Amino acid sequence: MNKVILRNIKSDDLPIFFEHQKDDIANQMAAFTSKDPTDWNQFCQHWNRILTDETIIKQSITLEDQVVGHISSFEMFEKREVSYWIDREHWGKGIATDALRQFLALVTIRPLHAHAAKDNIGSRRVLEKCGFLLTGEDKGFANARNEEIEEFIFTLRY
């Protein structure tokens, strides 16, 4: 089995994240993305905020020394959230589940919350496999779809 490893984000990872972010299909699935995934300056500003904010816990996800995504935990609306992105080329291989399990060992803050578009079955399964329970529903504007969509809220209590 392929070995998924989390490590600190390096500056060389950012162009890889940017390429992942430009994938139209991945954006549609994630739904809640940047307004313009092809805007390098906006991307750099966003990641500069992430990298300089010490309250955000962030890691690169690697597979056989190749960066395949990233995972982070941050405060949003006074709740601790988790979010991840996996390069579409690597979907369906258990990488997100493995990465989230490892991340949950690093980030022991509970409760921990996550949001997923209702139709993002893959992300919902990842969260459920890692012990998150469906605790609510909401609606939010999804930049990638240019409309308000329904989402599920998941919570990991322990």
Side-chain angles (χ1 to χ4, degrees):
M1 182 172 170
N2 296 326
K3 183 131 172 97
V4 174
I5 296 174
L6 300 183
R7 65 160 171 75
N8 290 333
I9 295 172
K10 300 175 184 175
S11 60
D12 290 350
D13 298 344
L14 297 181
I16 298 167
F17 296 167
F18 184 64
E19 287 304 312
H20 295 169
Q21 172 182 294
K22 293 192 309 185
D23 182 319
D24 288 337
I25 295 170
N27 275 292
Q28 281 292 317
M29 186 59 63
F32 301 100
T33 61
S34 66
K35 290 181 182 175
D36 181 0
T38 65
D39 185 330
W40 173 251
N41 290 330
Q42 179 186 14
F43 173 86
C44 289
Q45 289 173 1
H46 173 75
W47 274 97
N48 185 53
R49 283 191 303 274
I50 291 171
L51 294 173
T52 58
D53 187 336
E54 293 182 11
T55 67
I56 298 175
I57 304 162
K58 56 258 178 199
Q59 297 278 284
S60 286
I61 302 168
T62 65
L63 177 68
E64 299 174 358
D65 296 323
Q66 177 187 0
V67 174
V68 297
H70 54 83
I71 189 166
S72 62
S73 179
F74 50 91
E75 290 286 327
M76 187 169 74
F77 306 121
E78 299 181 14
K79 293 183 179 181
R80 177 59 61 169
E81 299 276 336
V82 66
S83 180
Y84 46 85
W85 184 286
I86 303 293
D87 178 24
R88 185 166 53 95
E89 179 182 322
H90 298 283
W91 288 0
K93 299 178 183 178
I95 294 168
T97 302
D98 195 0
L100 182 55
R101 283 187 179 133
Q102 290 181 44
F103 194 70
L104 293 174
L106 293 173
V107 179
T108 57
I109 301 163
R110 303 294 185 267
L112 194 57
H113 305 274
H115 295 243
K118 281 190 173 183
D119 60 356
N120 189 341
I121 295 168
S123 191
R124 289 170 37 197
R125 284 187 183 144
V126 167
L127 293 165
E128 290 167 348
K129 287 179 188 176
C130 291
F132 283 78
L133 299 175
L134 179 60
T135 55
E137 297 182 22
D138 200 1
K139 289 182 180 180
F141 186 80
N143 286 323
R145 301 180 189 183
N146 198 31
E147 65 181 335
E148 186 175 79
I149 66 165
E150 294 181 332
E151 63 181 334
F152 285 126
I153 302 167
F154 291 86
T155 304
L156 181 67
R157 297 198 191 280
Y158 307 103

